[in-house]
Amino acid sequence: MVVTFTRTVQVIDSHTGGHPTRVILGGLPPLAGSSVKAKRDDFRERYDGLRAALLHEPRGHAAMVGAILVPSHDADFGAFFISTYVYLDMCGHGTMGLAKTLAAVSQIEVGDGERRFTLETPAGIVTVGIEAERGRVIGIHIENVGCHVLERDIEIDVPGLGRIPTDIAYGGGRFAIVDAASLGWPIRPDTTSDLCHKGAAIKAALNARPHRAGTEAVASVLFHEDLGPRHARHLVVLEANKFDRSPCGTGTSARLALLHDRGRLAIGEAFTAEGVLATRFDCRIERVTGSGRDLRVHPSIRGNAFITAFSNLVVEEGDPLAGGFLCR
Ligand code: PYC
């Protein structure tokens, strides 16, 4: 039998709080550009088809997120995040998956205590700490880019749902934040499909508003159910068929910025974000910089990631579905 592969790509898969990260270690063409953002833009321009081949079915699925390691001039490592529908400027769970992967392949040596490194992402440089005991990773934390509130106290008419109160905040991506509990919408594994459709409808209604020039679209909707003053369950909806299984690092960062703005979370206070699978991120605001419209909240998010596969993805010559596919 003759099998010819037109591409072979080395990947390591992990999950963070249930959400997958596929780190692409080798087998991609070199990218042009001096910054990670420029390399990401070059990838998007010339090789976007590879994103689908690597993340969509039959090699992946709708929830898959990838991290592509690239050299950085300004940080210890560089990476950009690809996902099944869009590019993410920053990804919290994905950064934890990447950190675990770098430790697993000895790019970062872990023993006892904490190993810190900096990571350049298209959103900016983040600091990552890997905590270990006798070589075993027991926690990974990220000090995220500066986060802030973009729009407060919006009421949006959503076809089929009525008027939905929301706020919009930036946590490395743009999130509409919606109190699901006050609307009578529980966050449970058996309500995720329903919440995905509701979240997609809210996102579409927000993005259909006449925009001020230069305003970017809302990427995701974070539903929350508060379980205590500083403890909440989160479900981030990215698309009608895609939700974050983890509590969502960037979504939680946006929520922390909103809570700080509302006077409900001070610097240093602990906040627990729980995902729909009851996995948790331990969070707090490390510091706040700037003031007024330039005020930025710098959150830290701590979780852990677990390796699920070391693989070579291949594309066989003649495969009619070589480019990947997704069904809604
Ligand atoms: O953890 O930041 C995150 C994230 C974004 C999209 C999926 N996960």
Side-chain angles (χ1 to χ4, degrees):
M1 179 187 152
V2 178
V3 185
T4 307
F5 300 129
T6 54
R7 190 173 286 280
T8 304
V9 177
Q10 295 79 47
V11 304
I12 296 182
D13 287 350
S14 61
H15 79 87
T16 306
H19 208 70
T21 305
R22 172 163 286 172
V23 178
I24 289 98
L25 290 172
L28 294 186
L31 298 171
S34 55
S35 67
V36 168
K37 186 170 183 303
K39 288 188 203 316
R40 189 272 310 270
D41 292 346
D42 184 47
F43 179 90
R44 177 159 51 193
E45 182 77 19
R46 293 195 291 153
Y47 304 113
D48 189 51
L50 276 175
R51 186 173 58 84
L54 295 171
L55 303 184
H56 290 186
E57 296 184 51
R59 293 171 201 85
H61 50 83
M64 190 61 93
V65 172
I68 298 185
L69 263 176
V70 288
S72 167
H73 298 302
D74 299 321
D76 299 320
F77 293 93
F80 62 87
F81 300 99
I82 56 177
S83 92
T84 39
Y85 293 100
V86 293
Y87 289 78
L88 304 167
D89 281 353
M90 168 57 195
C91 180
H93 93 272
T95 299
M96 293 182 210
L98 173 66
K100 179 67 178 267
T101 298
L102 291 172
V105 296
S106 303
Q107 288 269 329
I108 294 177
E109 225 176 287
V110 296
D112 270 310
E114 191 192 341
R115 269 305 304 271
R116 282 187 160 236
F117 67 93
T118 52
L119 177 73
E120 182 186 346
T121 73
I125 294 180
V126 300
T127 303
V128 185
I130 306 182
E131 300 150 36
E133 270 174 14
R134 277 167 286 141
R136 253 179 230 292
V137 175
I138 56 164
I140 300 168
H141 70 263
I142 305 162
E143 286 178 28
N144 198 2
V145 294
C147 305
H148 57 289
V149 177
L150 293 160
E151 289 182 66
R152 293 177 193 85
D153 301 319
I154 304 165
E155 288 229 330
I156 181 85
D157 271 319
V158 183
L161 300 180
R163 269 184 104 62
I164 304 294
T166 182
D167 302 275
I168 300 176
Y170 175 82
R174 287 169 181 257
F175 292 83
I177 298 176
V178 174
D179 184 348
S182 74
L183 294 165
W185 300 345
I187 298 174
R188 294 191 311 250
D190 66 342
T191 62
T192 53
S193 286
D194 181 48
L195 288 172
C196 275
H197 287 102
K198 289 182 159 112
I202 294 169
K203 174 170 142 176
L206 285 167
N207 288 335
R209 294 178 304 162
H211 272 74
R212 284 165 292 153
T215 305
E216 284 174 37
V218 168
S220 315
V221 174
L222 181 146
F223 288 116
H224 64 91
E225 189 179 320
D226 292 344
L227 305 169
R230 289 186 295 279
H231 181 192
R233 186 170 294 130
H234 289 171
L235 185 87
V236 165
V237 170
L238 300 114
E239 300 287 337
N241 63 344
K242 179 168 181 171
F243 65 92
D244 195 334
R245 278 72 172 152
S246 84
C248 191
T250 47
T252 297
S253 299
R255 176 105 208 270
L256 263 52
L258 183 63
L259 287 169
H260 184 72
D261 182 74
R262 295 242 185 268
R264 288 178 49 199
L265 190 69
I267 298 170
E269 276 183 330
F271 183 89
T272 304
E274 196 169 311
V276 68
L277 302 174
T279 53
R280 290 176 171 211
F281 287 166
D282 299 315
C283 319
R284 64 171 184 242
I285 296 170
E286 295 294 333
R287 61 201 161 89
V288 171
T289 54
S291 59
R293 291 173 66 85
D294 295 328
L295 187 136
R296 295 292 178 270
V297 164
H298 298 265
S300 70
I301 310 285
R302 181 183 183 277
N304 206 349
F306 298 87
I307 302 290
T308 55
F310 289 71
S311 320
N312 283 320
L313 302 181
V314 294
V315 178
E316 189 185 342
E317 194 174 60
D319 179 350
L321 299 176
F325 62 90
L326 283 182
C327 301
R328 290 251 182 189

